Amino acid sequence: MIFKTFIKRLFPRSFDNEIYNLRPKDLIIRKSSNHGGFKFGLSLLIIIFLFAIFGPIILDVSPYEQDLTKRLLPPVWKEGGSWEYIFGTDGNGRDYFARILYGTRISLTIGFGAACVGMIIGVSLGVCAGYFGGWVDQVVSYLLTCQLALPGLLLAMTIVFLIGPSITVVIFVIGATHWAFFLVVSRSATQKIKSLDYVTAASAIGASKFQIIIRDIIPNTFSQIIVIFTLEVGIAILNEASLSFLGVGIQPPTPSWGLLIAEGKEAIFFQPWLIILPGIALFTLVVSINMMGDGLRDITDPNSKVSEE
Amino acid sequence: MSDLLNIQNLEISFQSNNKNLKTVENFSIHLNEKESLGIVGESGSGKTLSMLALTRLLPKQASVSSGSIIFQNKNLNELDNKNFYKEISGKKISMIFQEPMTALNPVHTIGKQLLETYLYHNNVSVEKGIERALEILDAVKLPKYKQRMDQYPHQLSGGQRQRVMIALALINNPSLLIADEPTTALDVTVQKEIIQLISDLRETIGMALIFISHDLGVVSQISDNVVVMKNGEIVEKGKTLKVLEKPNHPYTQGLLDCLFKLEDEQKKNQIKDTPIIKVKEISKSYKLPAKIFKKPEIIYAVKKVTFDVKCGETIAIVGESGSGKSTVAKIINGLINKDDGEVEIKGQNIEDIEISDRAKIIQPVFQDPYSTLNPIHTIGYIVSRPLTINENKSESEVKEEVIKTLRLVGLSEDYYNRFPNQLSGGQRQRVAIARAIILKPQILICDEPTSALDVTIQSQILDLLNDLKTKLNITIILISHDISVVKYFSDRIIVMYNGEIIEMGNTNNVINVPKDKYTKRLMSSVFSLKKNDIKFT
């Protein structure tokens, strides 16, 4: 309710009674303010983003400062915890709350960055394969088979090992091994759209192939791609966690959630929060992204039946 | 004659967003045994929905909110679902649907599907079932019916599948058959055979028939009584001939006017003798995927087609689906490449014309109003796009031009910011026409421009095209399977069959004195309702 009134005040025109005369943007705003899942996911994601950006600036905490006399302190709700270290400390006596906070930045950067890289590779290959067909399609399909046959994590590990780990390398490596979904979905969507009359009409009015791809085909695959995108953001974040866990992702002492879990695994029986807390953070982020993605698909699809009142 | 079916005050409502939308109201019909009833109305008028309520096949959101259904002196509302499906549905009341391509289950043989229906309702041995299945397949005149039992649906043509559907519906000797637009998805020549078959079987089996259609012409042939529906209500009912002779409701009058108008003479363009399009021996073939040890098979979509189109003329290409008429149109438009032959437009070879120049000469209008507009873009963008691509004009000039063109096709400027999904089928088709004429082309290729529309909308769109034709002096190539539309609209007819032209000539000549065997069949398959037919009763 609060969200809706807020949005109504921001964009009064979107809530005119005459729905037929709404501009395209207004219709999307109106639809999004009625979609529960989208609102929940987006709000959660915005909160996480705000935490990641402003948290370290406002709260004066450092994820690197060690104090070996204060090793493995429990979080505040456990016996012996204190407000000084809300989430306790890790094995080196570093503030665990600060480490998770800084880890959010890493996870968000890698998740969205890698998904973008994967989307650019997958969608451009998929749309070309679907639109041009013939030998282009065969070459792309062959590439896809190769990609699917290679064990992704192993490949990523090898590449990171050879080039040397850094955030940029991890982003590109995860992106370069996660475009198969994008390709498959955009290729089949393109094949379907290519045969529709409006594409034929576009070529009849003299639009070039490039214009048709940009104006007619890609916007119409958007609602399917957005779902894959949010899925891949989640997968990339988890992938980074696995790489870091295995020691070829983010290098210590930089805090990443995967690394935190890796470091905490020795203490799993006695200090389980070292694993549970970054785990909860991972889960929340991935769920919020997926809910938002699902909502975005419903909203951007002009044929969807989201109520418009 | 005794009562068979009596529906009183049926009311169907849809549940959406806590609101009750009444879709069918006050629906009352009465049917004696062995009688036939036609239900006419455009899409969304509730004609199918009310029959689905009778067979309990309503979609989940819809429910019967009130009304009584009495069938063979039994109140169907008192029957529970289990007994209804066992005793009534499929046994006493059967239904055939519009789309034969999807109505049969593709993974089971024809025989298995027939047997399943028969054995579920009758406690007999499999041998008896097979016997009965063969008997009914023979009755629906399925060619080579003995071999069909082991065949799968994809091995049959559309018309044959519809025969199997009818066999499925009739295998239990129902007292009432409901046919929901059984011929709409079929070719014209097949249509007539199927309607003839249904009408023959009705007499031999002695069942009652409810025939749902949007086509008054077809209904007038097959039914004794007719019900006209509009917006979920019955606006007129009575003996078919009486209703046609003296319609009481303005809507029925409108429907009839739409039909009769096609008989009237229309404004003709000034035809000059200079040909604007010359098509010389064009061919187009497709290779089927090669099988091992076999030469790849080649299928000709178009085989050595030659004709001229004169400036200002309207020429119609008719033929059933798969005859290559759309392929010819696309080749002329330069949208697909031909294998052989030449297409000259205004003396220039089509391949030599720059794409932007071609766009200003020749434009297409397509059949399906739902896929002809990109759902992502606004109407304003869609109509302005030909201008922004091909001409250098300022934004305000373009907008002005777009609004002018929208007015020309009968849409106000309010539509500028709307999306295609907010428009009806007829409005979408108007937008498609606006997009085609904004560059002021000399040639318009209309590929079945009205066949996906309701009758009343159809005549509006035809009027619009007719109007534009004279106003802008456009040469039109019309592709259609609907002879009455062709007769109304065109100066000359080309008849195509299997990729070849088999007859060509003046519209009246071809329709009244067809020479070729196929053309004769095509022309005789039209159920057109003539003014004279009614006057004489």
Side-chain angles (χ1 to χ4, degrees), chain B residues 55 84-95 117-118 120-122 168-174 176:
Chain B
T55 45
F84 180 81
Y85 292 126
K86 188 86 190 160
E87 297 298 323
I88 306 289
S89 174
K91 191 172 184 184
K92 299 261 176 68
I93 303 177
S94 297
M95 195 155 177
T117 318
Y118 191 60
Y120 177 76
H121 292 287
N122 298 286
L168 259 175
L170 298 183
I171 196 164
N172 289 317
N173 267 331
L176 172 61

Side-chain angles (χ1 to χ4, degrees), chain A residues 19-24 27 196-198 200-207 211 215-216 219-220 302-303 307 309, chain B residues 17 19 335 355 358-359 363-364 366 371-378 381 385-386 389-390 417-419 421-422 435:
Chain A
I19 184 151
Y20 282 119
N21 289 324
L22 287 183
R23 288 172 302 167
L27 199 68
L196 292 178
D197 287 341
Y198 59 78
T200 321
S203 57
I205 61 170
Q211 280 170 320
R215 292 281 174 193
D216 291 305
N220 279 300
N303 301 319
S307 82
E309 283 142 47
Chain B
N17 293 342
K19 266 182 287 175
L335 295 172
I355 291 178
R358 187 193 74 201
Q363 280 293 325
F366 299 105
S371 71
T372 192
L373 306 178
N374 189 338
I376 290 289
H377 298 310
T378 57
Y381 179 86
R385 201 162 159 210
I389 287 178
N390 294 306
N417 284 327
R418 289 190 196 178
F419 279 94
N421 66 312
Q422 296 168 322
R435 171 180 62 194

Side-chain angles (χ1 to χ4, degrees), chain B residues 283-286 327 330-331 334-340 350-351 358:
Chain B
S283 298
K284 173 82 190 168
S285 62
Y286 293 98
T327 314
K330 281 190 177 153
I331 289 173
L335 295 172
I336 50 177
N337 293 325
K338 57 195 183 306
D339 302 341
D340 243 345
I350 181 84
E351 276 109 6
R358 187 193 74 201

Side-chain angles (χ1 to χ4, degrees), chain A residues 5 30 58 74-75 81 97 108 138 141 200 246 278:
Chain A
T5 38
R30 188 166 172 155
I58 298 166
F97 178 69
L108 284 175
Q138 282 178 358
S141 301
T200 321
L246 294 168

